[in-house]
Amino acid sequence: MVGCGQRDLTKKKIPGFLKENLRLTSYQIVGGSQHFQFYNLVVSSAGNAGHGYGTIGTPDAAPYALTVGAVTNNVYIGSGSFKNQPRFGNSTYFSGDVAGFSSKGPGLVGDPKPDLMGIGEYSFTPISVTKYNKNATGPFALFGGTSLAAPLVAGSAAVLMESLKQKGEQYNPFRIENILMSTATDLENDPFTQGAGLVNVTNAINFVKGKDETFIVYNDASYSNVKKILDVPIKALNSSSIGLERFQLNNKSFPETSWFGGRLLPGERTSATFTIENPTDKTLEIKITPKTLELIKKSQYDGTTVVNLKDPLLNKSGVFRPNYLPLENVKDRLDLLSFFQKSKPIPEDASLMVLNLNFPFSEFLNASSKMYADDIKISSLYLYDWEDKNKDGKQTYTELSMVNRGGSWGTVQELRVSEPNSKIKHVPLVGVYPVPTRYSYWQGDTKKNSTSMDYTISASYYKKENWNDIWLNSNDIQVAPHSSVHVMATLVVPLDSQPGVYQGFLSVKDDLHEVNVPVSFGVLKKLQPKDLPTVLKGSKNGNILYGTGYIGGAFDMANRYNAGDWRQYYFDVQDRTINTVSLNISWENKDTNLSVFVVDPQGRIVQTNVPAGVLGQFQGWPTGD
């Protein structure tokens, strides 16, 4: 078993089927090489390049490895540098929401990633592990990131292996993955954000012991659908370049919980046989429903930050509070009367709330500065549960419990809260924290006072709705004790589907247990005949979290190279006489810039509009000219 927290940023940030991805794949699959004839469960961190989609880099996107994203754990509030800082509130109560920095899928193949989530923001680890300061005297230090989440999931896998071993059951990496994913706790996010959910080792052990109606689900199609794509770059790979004598994927199929439907044309279909395994002494009554997250309400608020505000209880030099805004103020003003009307801001049926804080690029970066990106203003986003204990209508940090936060050196901040109605017991309060000084990309804190910024806050609320792209031969299943049942699922690509990658879930549920099976598939674009243009026209579908016709903007200038909001498109080139493609990309906003990479079927970056820089020298990137 390998727990990876990749820190070699040069390798991690590059899109494509790099050798590290294939190396991790070989470790996990029997027959993957002549050197590795045994199973190794590979657990890899998703990376810290969120909040945008498509930000899982190398080697974390290895299709057959177990990729782990991060969730919050507010135990750090009140400790160290977080003590007496009004923007963090005064409570460690909240946890279990997606961390704003956690990288999101899909993988470049189009498969659903990450697979699982673990605590990553933040926790305390022994000083001997982190070794931040050789002179440190305390027993523990604060640590975080998906590099914390991945080892925690690896530890959960080890506990599960020990439980299986004690029972005398055989297992392999796919068996461990399937149990962990089938017993994860749903975070009410989409598959490209959460995978199957938050790892729950108690549920995993319940499956081994046949307790609490805990069952698992897996299918027979994902492995071969991924293999079909990977076989092309593997065939062209020099195995010795990754330290192997001979590298190939096993032709045997391995079961997986996640369902990757492959790459299809509009109107095509693909099927998978799902197995539901019941280890309990009870007959299970199970209902299967395809689901996808859809928008039920969106509203926004325009404002301007005020810098250097003080908390009434903390009159300390250099310590400031956020600008506070009750969530009920983030609503559409249809008329004068609606401005004064009060209503509950969160819909009763909302299972997920997404808050975004947007700034004009001209407010974020001073274009008149002599050096580019040498004068930047930053503000971050917070959500609190405010209990007005003395009923005076004034916020103090001692009355605030921080639910989640989002921040980056960019123009878009995001935070997410699952099951917001059940979590927030008092007044939901938004905080916009303007960093008191300006920053430089090159030098960091300039020590110069910041000024106000115009901003827009948007609040989007989602719930799971039925997904009509998947048909089942039966939605209601009985599974007898200590037995398994097979169910056929067929995915039909709608004729009007635009090119890109699509996602959803299969909800497999009984009274006590639910498995959220991540599902994804790519839609191909056929090229027009030679010398005729093939056009992909962008279009924004605001009803879904991950749309194929737009990017949301999530760049970060704090040295997180692959941060952003990525989309991927697959072109079906049938005419083998075509040997050259001219690709033109245009957009309207002058403050927007799109980074584009063209990857061939062998996984090589063959062209890009991004200057190669040192990556051209050390990683073989094309020059871009």
Side-chain angles (χ1 to χ4, degrees), residues 1 152-166 176 180 201-202 204-205 208:
M1 178 171 60
L152 290 176
V153 169
S156 299
V159 173
L160 173 59
M161 290 175 182
E162 181 64 22
S163 181
L164 289 166
K165 185 178 179 181
Q166 289 175 355
I176 299 300
L180 290 177
V201 71
T202 301
I205 302 306
V208 177

Side-chain angles (χ1 to χ4, degrees), residues 106 109-110 192 260 262-264 493 497-503 520-525 536 546-549 567-571:
V109 171
F192 295 161
F260 173 56
R263 298 173 183 170
L264 307 163
V493 182
S497 293
Q498 297 300 308
V501 184
Y502 294 79
Q503 62 168 337
S520 72
F521 62 96
V523 175
L524 292 161
K525 178 68 174 179
L536 297 183
Y546 177 86
T548 61
R567 297 295 184 270
Q568 50 212 52
Y569 303 96
Y570 309 111
F571 293 91

